[in-house]
Amino acid sequence: MTRHKGRDIYRKKRIIIPTIIIILLIVGRLLLPYYVKKYVNNVLADIPGYYGQVDDIDISLLRGAYVIDGLYLNKVDAGSQIPFLDFEKTDVSVEWRSILRGKIVSEIIMTRPKLTYIFEDHENEDSKSPEINDWTKALTDLIPIDINRLQINNGKVAFVQLSADPNIDLHFDQIKLEAKNLRNVIRKDQKLPSSLTANAVSIGKGSVKLQGKMDIVKTIPDMDISFSLENANARSLNDFTNYYAGIDFKSGEYNIYSEVAIADGFLKGYIKPMLVDSELIGKEDGFLETLWEGFVGFFKFVLKNHKNNTLATKVPLEGDLNSIESDIWTTVFSIFENAWIEAFKAMTDDSVNFEDAKEASERGKK
């Protein structure tokens, strides 16, 4: 009798204990999103000068991932209700391929993220207060392990001035970006082991391309990046140019080209804006407006390359990252170079690379 009773208790334990464990796992799984959401909201609430929250958190234990739905962040003293950050969906997961190489890193896929910089909300921002401005560190704290791959689908970045009439809205839309090997999981003795590619559509329906190589593991990242914005309608800039200069574009296109390289904290590069087949019109027919239009039109005539009908300048950038300055005299000479010597080619010059920045850095140390 006692033997049968002992067997019954053993059988019950074999059923009850696994059942309790399963129940605890289920309860824990159900409660986990709540606690993760609470943690994320606490991190966002603790950013000095900002406030924000997330709508929901989904957990996928099998994938080793969690999905953040509806994350937004804005400044506490913002005059507008437009979120500074508005991330519709952020999928954070373990990058399983890197585990085979002995590295535990993550990958992030962001769907329709928006960054909207309202000038009025940031004009009084104290640039010497890193605890206020470093919201990026707080967002990084939301990722439990280092990020090795970042993908952005259909993103948007906008710079908006609400005090202008009409409002100024300069933006890049339909952003598609991919950055790989950010934590140098695959090194192979490369100086710049990480890659970055992106494309987008600018205001005025311009075609935007960004590509380059990086090494962001360093305290001051090394990089070699090129940027181009081509065939954008110049009339899309009218709200901006009208507000600041009182002129409009009747027709034409604008292009922007840039190359930037950083080596050991030393930057070297340029920014080259171009206007093609552009025609200016005055805001009104008044005497002052006509005089201003004539003044701008005269210099446009003098400084443009008439053969290609382009107006361009090349702004050089060189120096350490704490004091990046443009050489104004080189810029002025560049304008006349385009006007009287030869037109700039409608492409990146391929004149700046990582080795240039490296040599400039070494010269600066001597």
Side-chain angles (χ1 to χ4, degrees):
M1 185 72 179
T2 304
R3 184 180 299 177
H4 288 295
K5 187 176 181 180
R7 289 178 179 175
D8 292 340
I9 294 175
Y10 177 71
R11 289 172 181 173
K12 289 180 180 180
K13 286 183 178 180
R14 290 183 61 186
I15 298 174
I16 293 175
I17 292 177
T19 301
I20 292 175
I21 293 174
I22 292 173
I23 292 174
L24 290 175
L25 290 174
I26 293 174
V27 172
R29 171 61 183 83
L30 294 175
L31 293 176
L32 186 59
Y34 167 80
Y35 285 107
V36 173
K37 179 181 177 180
K38 183 178 180 180
Y39 165 76
V40 171
N41 283 331
N42 287 338
V43 170
L44 297 177
D46 287 340
I47 304 176
Y50 290 84
Y51 70 93
Q53 69 176 39
V54 298
D55 292 337
D56 194 18
I57 298 286
D58 294 323
I59 306 292
S60 176
L61 295 178
L62 293 178
R63 281 200 308 126
Y66 70 99
V67 179
I68 303 174
D69 292 320
L71 182 152
Y72 79 86
L73 187 73
N74 204 8
K75 289 183 66 67
V76 171
D77 57 355
S80 70
Q81 297 301 313
I82 302 173
F84 174 48
L85 301 180
D86 185 1
F87 297 166
E88 181 176 314
K89 181 180 179 181
T90 305
D91 188 307
V92 183
S93 63
V94 173
E95 190 178 49
W96 294 105
R97 289 173 295 181
S98 296
I99 291 180
L100 299 177
R101 298 186 174 94
K103 298 283 187 178
I104 301 178
V105 292
S106 65
E107 60 180 352
I108 298 179
I109 300 176
M110 306 182 72
T111 303
R112 286 181 288 276
K114 296 179 182 178
L115 186 155
T116 307
Y117 188 97
I118 307 295
F119 283 94
E120 291 82 356
D121 292 347
H122 295 265
E123 60 185 357
N124 296 321
E125 193 171 77
D126 184 1
S127 60
K128 295 182 180 180
S129 301
E131 69 277 8
I132 294 178
N133 296 326
D134 199 9
W135 50 267
T136 56
K137 182 180 183 302
L139 294 185
T140 304
D141 289 342
L142 301 181
I143 314 301
I145 52 181
D146 290 335
I147 304 167
N148 192 56
R149 177 176 174 269
L150 171 65
Q151 179 178 323
I152 294 177
N153 298 321
N154 200 15
K156 181 176 182 179
V157 175
F159 301 89
V160 179
Q161 186 167 359
L162 299 176
S163 60
D165 186 20
N167 298 157
I168 296 173
D169 182 1
L170 306 176
H171 61 263
F172 297 108
D173 208 351
Q174 302 177 37
I175 298 173
K176 185 175 180 60
L177 178 148
E178 184 176 30
K180 298 188 294 185
N181 198 35
L182 297 177
R183 305 310 302 178
N184 297 354
V185 172
I186 303 175
R187 185 80 194 193
K188 296 181 179 178
D189 296 327
Q190 297 176 3
K191 294 181 180 179
L192 302 173
S194 308
S195 65
L196 172 66
T197 58
N199 54 66
V201 177
S202 75
I203 180 175
K205 304 300 181 182
S207 175
V208 178
K209 293 182 180 179
L210 177 71
Q211 60 181 4
K213 299 287 186 179
M214 305 175 294
D215 184 359
I216 67 168
V217 173
K218 298 183 65 174
T219 303
I220 300 179
D222 288 339
M223 62 181 63
D224 186 354
I225 293 177
S226 63
F227 169 91
S228 66
L229 188 165
E230 297 182 305
N231 305 322
N233 190 333
R235 296 178 62 185
S236 65
L237 297 174
N238 282 348
D239 291 342
F240 177 79
T241 57
N242 205 334
Y243 183 79
Y244 284 100
I247 57 174
D248 289 335
F249 289 100
K250 182 178 180 180
S251 61
E253 294 182 342
Y254 68 92
N255 305 324
I256 300 175
Y257 302 95
S258 180
E259 291 180 290
V260 174
I262 301 174
D264 299 329
F266 199 91
L267 180 147
K268 187 176 179 66
Y270 68 86
I271 300 174
K272 183 171 69 175
M274 299 177 62
L275 289 172
V276 182
D277 297 327
S278 59
E279 182 179 353
L280 295 172
I281 58 176
K283 182 179 180 181
E284 299 175 2
D285 293 330
F287 174 74
L288 292 178
E289 286 78 8
T290 303
L291 182 64
W292 174 244
E293 176 192 352
F295 176 78
V296 174
F298 169 76
F299 278 96
K300 177 177 181 292
F301 175 81
V302 172
L303 300 178
K304 78 176 182 179
N305 181 283
H306 296 279
K307 182 179 179 180
N308 294 338
N309 198 23
T310 62
L311 173 66
T313 185
K314 185 175 181 179
V315 183
L317 299 172
E318 183 171 342
D320 62 64
L321 293 180
N322 295 316
S323 57
I324 300 173
E325 297 179 355
S326 298
D327 186 335
I328 185 64
W329 295 112
T330 303
T331 303
V332 172
F333 176 78
S334 178
I335 295 176
F336 284 94
E337 180 183 33
N338 175 67
W340 301 109
I341 301 176
E342 62 178 356
F344 288 114
K345 297 178 181 179
M347 62 182 69
T348 55
D349 294 345
D350 196 24
S351 60
V352 173
N353 55 48
F354 180 74
E355 294 301 328
D356 294 330
K358 188 76 172 178
E359 291 176 4
S361 173
E362 292 174 353
R363 288 197 303 269
K365 295 176 180 178
K366 293 180 180 179

